[in-house]
């Protein structure tokens, strides 16, 4: 998979660095990154607000952790990692979330990207996302600012996150003669949230999002693939998200059938439930690139095995059917 608008080849997963430097110590995070890069999982997903909600966190800890890795691993280390970061949702003041965040005005985008680069100790990232929809700013202003970030060489490409389908369509319409977005990130997994449940600040990718991505040549990127921001257990075991009980937002008619279908496919293929989900995402005719939380080196290997395993057509069809029937049982 090539990052649109560039010559950068992406691996089949992005490694989430959300809790690196907070919940996960810097030393351990660096060992994880050493292993991931050596294994070929060199696409790292971070943000300028990770992880302000952790005790003592202010936002930027994850980027700083990555920057320290670049500084300690030598000059060649930067070219070994494909970095995606996000701007626009960092608290502008202590305790300011969610009312007082940096936002996505032209000036805010520029200042946020410059600050991210400083924390990352680099002169560019491969991908910069607008993290949350900022309805106080015209979509055209945000898109044009991101395009200028690319033009200035601060990023090779830009992307968008957590937009409803109509807002994503508006962003595409605002592209004009500049480069289009390379990626759209949102919650996407086998489980589908109930339509009447608010999962803000996240937005789930639906079929309309995926159709727009296909038409525009945008890579869909799936966050919260296992419904946990950072899965801290071995992917070889079942994850809570695919056992009973499921998170409230996803508990709906048909969920037990989907859970049983995942378990059956796991047994048939020798994968875990979590690996089945990743294989399902990566094996779509229009593949969705999953972001995977990693806290142990073994999880890197398990995730890579999952996304390089082709599910039998019969099993994929059973999963698709069980997913489509959610809410109708």
């Amino acid at each position: 998979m090539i990052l649109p608008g560039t010559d950068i080849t992406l691996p089949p997963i992005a490694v989430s660095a959300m809790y690196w430097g907070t919940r996960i110590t810097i030393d351990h995070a660096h060992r994880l990154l050493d292993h991931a890069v050596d294994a070929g999982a060199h696409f790292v997903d971070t943000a300028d607000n990770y992880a302000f909600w952790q005790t003592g966190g202010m936002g930027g800890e994850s980027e700083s952790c990555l920057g320290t890795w670049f500084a300690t691993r030598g000059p060649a280390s930067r070219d070994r990692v494909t970095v995606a970061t996000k701007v626009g949702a960092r608290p502008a003041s202590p305790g300011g979330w969610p009312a007082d965040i940096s936002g996505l005005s032209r000036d805010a985008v520029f200042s946020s990207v410059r600050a991210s680069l400083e924390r990352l100790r680099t002169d560019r990232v491969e991908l910069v996302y607008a993290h949350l929809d900022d309805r106080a700013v015209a979509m055209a202003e945000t898109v044009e600012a991101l395009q200028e970030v690319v033009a200035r060489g601060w990023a090779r490409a830009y992307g968008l996150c957590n937009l409803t389908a109509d807002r994503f369509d508006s962003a595409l319409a605002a592209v004009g003669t500049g480069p289009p977005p390379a990626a759209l990130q949102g919650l996407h997994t086998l489980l589908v949230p109930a339509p009447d449940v608010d999962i803000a600040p996240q937005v789930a990718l639906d079929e309309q999002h995926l159709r727009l991505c296909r038409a525009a040549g945008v890579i869909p990127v799936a966050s919260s693939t296992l419904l946990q921001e950072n899965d801290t257990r071995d992917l070889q075991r079942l994850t809570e998200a695919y056992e009973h009980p499921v998170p409230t937002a996803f508990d709906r008619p048909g969920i037990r059938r989907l859970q049983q279908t995942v378990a059956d496919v796991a047994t048939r293929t020798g994968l875990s439930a979590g690996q089945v989900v990743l294989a399902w995402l990566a094996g779509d005719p229009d593949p969705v690139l999953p972001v995977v939380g990693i806290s142990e080196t073994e999880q890197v290997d398990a995730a890579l095995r999952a996304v390089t395993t082709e599910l039998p057509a019969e099993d994929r069809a059973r999963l698709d059917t069980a997913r489509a029937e959610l809410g109708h049982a």
Side-chain angles (χ1 to χ4, degrees), residues 57 185 230 274:
Q185 185 174 145
N230 193 74

Side-chain angles (χ1 to χ4, degrees), residues 54-65:
Q54 291 291 290
T55 302
M58 297 179 62
E61 289 82 6
S62 173
E63 290 178 328
S64 295
C65 180

